[in-house]
Amino acid sequence: MSAPAAGKGRPSAKDKLVDGAYGLGWAGVRKLPEPVANGLGRVIADRVWKRRGKSVLQLEANLARVVPDAGPARLRALSRAGMRSYMRYWMESFRLPAWSRERIATGVEIQDIHRLTNTLEAGRGVVLALPHMANWDLAGAYATTHLGHPFTTVAERLKPESLFDRFVAYREGLGMEVVPHTGGSAFGTLARRLRAGGLVCLVADRDLSASGVEVKFFGESTRMPAGPAILAQQTGALLLPATLWFDGTMMRGRVHPPVDVPETGTRAEKSSVMTQALADAFASGIAEHPEDWHMLQRLWLADLETRPGEGA
């Protein structure tokens, strides 16, 4: 669910190569039979895992927080499964534009989905906040096609611009309204959609900017975005955490109990309480399915000074 970092200026040769690789994925992988695409994803994942690069080492360092009693062999097995899960996300996403409504509907099952649908049907907006688990794009396609609830989301500006355009076109093709993250208009657009009783979906388990809210996550400090909590406070929308996981050929998920706005406190205090509640809900889902949490980047504040394998 991550993509190349934001940037400006003319695209470099590397940028063009990255853009071309994604274009090849959407054009080529989507034509493969599903078993072939799945097998290819596992082969690529295993090769990347065996190289023991920075992303794999960081994934293991992250998983060590999630499963603190795991020994080296267990962590290696989890990181291998994690890389397979991550590559499954990409293989499915490349093929998703060609999936039928029936294929999407029969491939997803969400527990307690009534918490989302009943609220929307009553005319109240919903902020659905998710961590980087399983296939967020498939969950979005399920919402727009099977549930019949289009939604608005935010996309980070990518480098090169052509790659950002590809992701926007891909997600809009699945029925999502995509708002660029940069610029002050994004928050206003999301707020308007919520006040009109709409659905806003945000991936919300990582924010290392100065505006992130510090929370305790698996016993250590990190930052998560304040946006979901602030949107709920300002618009009256219901804030719902959700988690996802793969289960054989299916993707399953759960809509967790709502995060209520505290009755007292400043906006910052309320945001802190609500964001911690989101972190707790995310942690419960990640602990149950750690191999489906695609966090290959540094997350905890203690890791910002060093990378796995580096000295202090």
Side-chain angles (χ1 to χ4, degrees), residues 3-282:
K8 296 181 179 180
R10 296 179 61 185
S12 64
K14 180 180 179 181
D15 294 336
K16 293 178 181 178
L17 182 62
V18 169
D19 178 57
Y22 279 91
L24 180 62
W26 270 302
V29 174
R30 67 186 296 177
K31 298 178 181 179
L32 296 176
E34 192 162 341
V36 175
N38 293 340
L40 176 62
R42 287 192 294 271
V43 169
I44 295 172
D46 287 349
R47 288 182 178 177
V48 172
W49 177 79
K50 287 178 181 178
R51 292 195 191 109
R52 309 289 294 163
K54 289 181 178 180
S55 294
V56 173
L57 293 177
Q58 186 62 62
L59 176 62
E60 287 187 7
N62 293 339
L63 290 171
R65 265 84 167 216
V66 176
V67 191
D69 59 345
R74 171 65 172 150
L75 283 177
R76 285 176 66 90
L78 275 176
S79 68
R80 183 181 187 181
M83 291 306 299
R84 285 187 168 191
S85 176
Y86 182 58
M87 195 53 60
R88 174 175 171 174
Y89 159 76
W90 281 113
M91 291 294 112
E92 287 186 351
S93 294
F94 288 142
R95 290 177 46 78
L96 194 51
W99 282 15
S100 66
R101 288 173 175 262
E102 181 181 5
R103 174 66 180 88
I104 293 170
T106 58
V108 179
E109 185 176 278
I110 308 294
Q111 301 170 16
D112 298 320
I113 194 66
H114 67 275
R115 290 174 171 147
L116 171 66
T117 55
N118 289 355
T119 304
L120 292 171
E121 288 164 8
R124 184 181 180 186
V126 173
V127 180
L128 190 69
L130 308 92
H132 287 80
M133 292 188 75
N135 193 334
W136 180 91
D137 290 317
L138 176 55
Y142 179 81
T144 60
T145 60
H146 182 66
L147 300 181
H149 289 294
F151 63 90
T152 305
T153 189
V154 173
E156 179 185 1
R157 282 283 182 185
L158 303 177
K159 179 183 179 182
E161 186 74 15
S162 57
L163 181 56
F164 174 76
D165 292 340
R166 284 187 191 275
F167 272 93
V168 170
Y170 159 62
R171 288 179 172 142
E172 287 181 342
L174 298 176
M176 311 177 195
E177 179 188 24
V178 182
V179 180
H181 184 269
T182 54
S185 63
F187 187 91
T189 299
L190 299 180
R192 287 192 297 274
R193 300 295 182 267
L194 292 169
R195 290 192 180 103
L199 173 62
V200 165
C201 297
L202 300 170
V203 179
D205 58 343
R206 184 174 187 264
D207 184 350
L208 301 181
S209 69
S211 61
V213 176
E214 188 167 327
V215 296
K216 288 292 184 182
F217 193 52
F218 291 101
E220 295 190 44
S221 296
T222 186
R223 295 192 187 98
M224 293 187 181
I230 294 174
L231 283 166
Q233 291 176 59
Q234 293 194 0
T235 68
L238 187 67
L239 177 55
L240 289 174
T243 52
L244 305 167
W245 63 92
F246 291 127
D247 182 10
T249 59
M250 295 281 294
M251 185 181 75
R252 304 188 189 276
R254 179 189 175 200
V255 178
H256 295 255
V259 173
D260 296 324
V261 178
E263 295 182 359
T264 61
T266 65
R267 187 176 77 172
E269 290 169 342
K270 292 178 180 179
S271 296
S272 179
V273 171
M274 295 171 72
T275 306
Q276 182 63 61
L278 277 183
D280 293 342
F282 293 166

